[in-house]
Amino acid sequence: MTSPIPAPGEPLPHYVSTAPFDPYSVEVMTEEQVRVNQASQLRLMWWKFKRHKLALASGIFLAALYVMILFCEFLAPYNLHTRNVDFIYTPPQPVHFFHDGAFVGPFVYGRTMTLDMDTLKRNYADNPSDVEPIRFFCRGDSYRFWGLFETNLHLACPAEGGQLFLLGTDRLGRDVLSRIIYGARISLTIGLLGITVSFVLGIVIGGLAGYHGGVFDLIVQRLIEVLQSIPSIPLWLSLAAIMPATWSPILIYLGITVILGLLDWTGLARAVRSKLLALREEDYVLAAQLMGARSSRIIGRHLVPGFMSHLIATATISIPGMILGETALSFLGLGLRPPITSWGILLTEAKSVSVIAFYPWLLFPTIPVILVILAFNFLGDGLRDAADPYK
């Protein structure tokens, strides 16, 4: 049966079903597909990041280190400046659990020192009859926690009247492990502060140059070329040498941070400029301009998130670079100065070849430097992939 033909001028018949419509009845999805389709962007990024096992382990390791620096005084067996004059250049003490076949718990053997009169070298020997159990949550050297109050509670301490040098001591009898733990606070935070300065300068200067172009872009590019043409190490040395020797350790720390940030922004600024040159021609940028959005909002709200994966990768690569920069400056004697302690300052003890030959444990501060740099690189790979979960 055919539908009646409407008379001229009459509207065509229009049929609308009033029955409820379920869009999921057209295509039936599994529970996993529904969970993925309804997940937020952050959840998708987290799921992809978890699949990168090495990056996840590196993130946990770095998070543990940054939590540790909040409690350096508690975790270190000794105070930063405690000297054990009877145990100068003592090698690391191994930890034992069994003595004469019986389980004792974690302990070290006491040591006796003899002086070689021919070479004037101190020789240390373990005394198997002197068992010194390691104490936990104990009272030891006093310290001011974050400069707020005085206490003497430590996670681990030597036995009463004993010694505990798990990584040996230096030329003044100071515990190397304790100084590494204290040095982590400076070496790890200087990278975060430096990258903050670098990112602010790189995104602002590079963003304005790439978005507006013109004379400002020309000036910025010439400035970047001049800074990048100067060798980095001599430039670091010259800027670090400008800081007066009368400055307090805190001012020197802030000065080194600013120097590292000022010298690292050029690469990021050039990368941001090249990205914005391409993104500023997109239709959504024109729509934002027609709606009266300011340049700062367009750059920060619409353009920068478009290459966030690149920014994340740059940050995770720049932080270990700044840690190495501080280590190099402090090793050369132009960076941080005592009483502030960093991993670079600890390595100044190992400048001499003879010291390295006789006391190789003074190179232990290089181990956390290497581990932190590798962890940041692995974390950067995982974050860069997770920043674009649809790939």
Side-chain angles (χ1 to χ4, degrees):
M1 179 178 180
T2 61
S3 301
I5 301 176
E10 293 183 4
L12 294 173
H14 184 62
Y15 300 97
V16 177
S17 176
T18 59
F21 174 70
D22 182 9
Y24 294 102
S25 63
V26 179
E27 180 181 356
V28 179
M29 295 187 294
T30 63
E31 292 185 4
E32 182 67 20
Q33 290 174 326
V34 172
R35 189 170 71 97
V36 171
N37 288 341
Q38 296 180 354
S40 63
Q41 179 80 1
L42 289 178
R43 186 176 293 274
L44 291 174
M45 293 171 62
W46 168 242
W47 288 342
K48 188 166 185 179
F49 178 75
K50 285 197 303 182
R51 291 201 295 268
H52 199 305
K53 300 300 183 183
L54 195 55
L56 182 61
S58 299
I60 295 174
F61 171 72
L62 291 174
L65 284 183
Y66 278 99
V67 171
M68 180 201 74
I69 65 177
L70 300 176
F71 310 97
C72 289
E73 299 87 351
F74 168 72
L75 297 175
Y78 293 91
N79 187 286
L80 174 63
H81 306 294
T82 298
R83 298 183 180 183
N84 302 275
V85 294
D86 295 330
F87 294 91
I88 295 175
Y89 282 137
T90 182
Q93 291 179 283
V95 178
H96 304 274
F97 291 89
F98 295 90
H99 177 68
D100 290 340
F103 179 79
V104 179
F107 70 92
V108 296
Y109 288 116
R111 282 186 167 172
T112 57
M113 188 271 291
T114 57
L115 183 63
D116 190 337
M117 299 307 296
D118 295 330
T119 61
L120 298 180
K121 180 183 177 182
R122 294 174 174 84
N123 297 314
Y124 295 89
D126 289 340
N127 184 2
S129 62
D130 184 10
V131 176
E132 299 180 353
I134 300 175
R135 298 180 296 145
F136 295 95
F137 297 99
C138 46
R139 301 293 176 176
D141 292 345
S142 61
Y143 57 86
R144 290 191 64 83
F145 185 75
W146 281 92
L148 300 177
F149 57 89
E150 185 132 358
T151 182
N152 59 359
L153 182 64
H154 294 264
L155 175 63
C157 303
E160 294 288 349
Q163 304 297 329
L164 180 64
F165 305 121
L166 299 181
L167 297 183
T169 61
D170 61 7
R171 60 186 177 86
L172 297 178
R174 296 171 297 188
D175 181 43
V176 173
L177 174 61
S178 299
R179 290 175 64 77
I180 289 177
I181 294 175
Y182 274 93
R185 175 175 292 171
I186 298 298
S187 294
L188 292 177
T189 55
I190 203 168
L192 293 182
L193 295 177
I195 200 63
T196 301
V197 175
S198 173
F199 257 54
V200 170
L201 292 175
I203 293 178
V204 171
I205 297 177
L208 293 176
Y211 182 73
H212 291 292
V215 177
F216 183 77
D217 181 31
L218 184 64
I219 295 175
V220 168
Q221 292 309 303
R222 300 296 79 78
L223 176 62
I224 291 176
E225 290 169 0
V226 170
L227 291 177
Q228 290 184 340
S229 65
I230 302 175
S232 58
I233 295 296
L235 185 59
W236 285 352
L237 297 179
S238 59
L239 291 177
I242 294 175
M243 292 187 296
T246 57
W247 278 13
S248 67
I250 296 298
L251 287 178
I252 293 175
Y253 168 72
L254 294 177
I256 294 296
T257 302
V258 172
I259 287 174
L260 295 175
L262 290 177
L263 298 181
D264 191 68
W265 66 271
T266 55
L268 178 63
R270 179 161 283 182
V272 171
R273 170 188 175 271
S274 63
K275 293 289 185 180
L276 293 193
L277 284 175
L279 293 177
R280 71 178 184 179
E281 305 299 332
E282 297 292 337
D283 293 339
Y284 62 85
V285 176
L286 178 59
Q289 291 173 344
L290 293 176
M291 294 179 67
R294 294 176 299 175
S295 299
S296 58
R297 176 175 176 81
I298 295 175
I299 294 174
R301 183 68 178 84
H302 301 290
L303 296 181
V304 171
F307 55 98
M308 187 58 68
S309 60
H310 177 80
L311 295 179
I312 292 173
T314 302
T316 53
I317 293 174
S318 298
I319 291 177
M322 291 186 177
I323 294 175
L324 286 177
E326 179 276 323
T327 303
L329 286 176
S330 299
F331 179 77
L332 295 173
L334 293 172
L336 301 174
R337 302 162 191 165
I340 284 184
T341 299
S342 69
W343 292 335
I345 291 177
L346 296 181
L347 289 175
T348 58
E349 300 283 343
K351 280 185 178 180
S352 173
V353 176
S354 60
V355 171
I356 298 175
F358 289 108
Y359 318 114
W361 57 87
L362 295 181
L363 288 175
F364 279 141
T366 59
I367 296 177
V369 174
I370 295 172
L371 292 178
V372 167
I373 291 172
L374 289 176
F376 268 114
N377 288 330
F378 294 143
L379 178 64
D381 290 339
L383 291 177
R384 181 188 57 204
D385 296 340
D388 190 359
Y390 300 103
K391 279 189 177 181

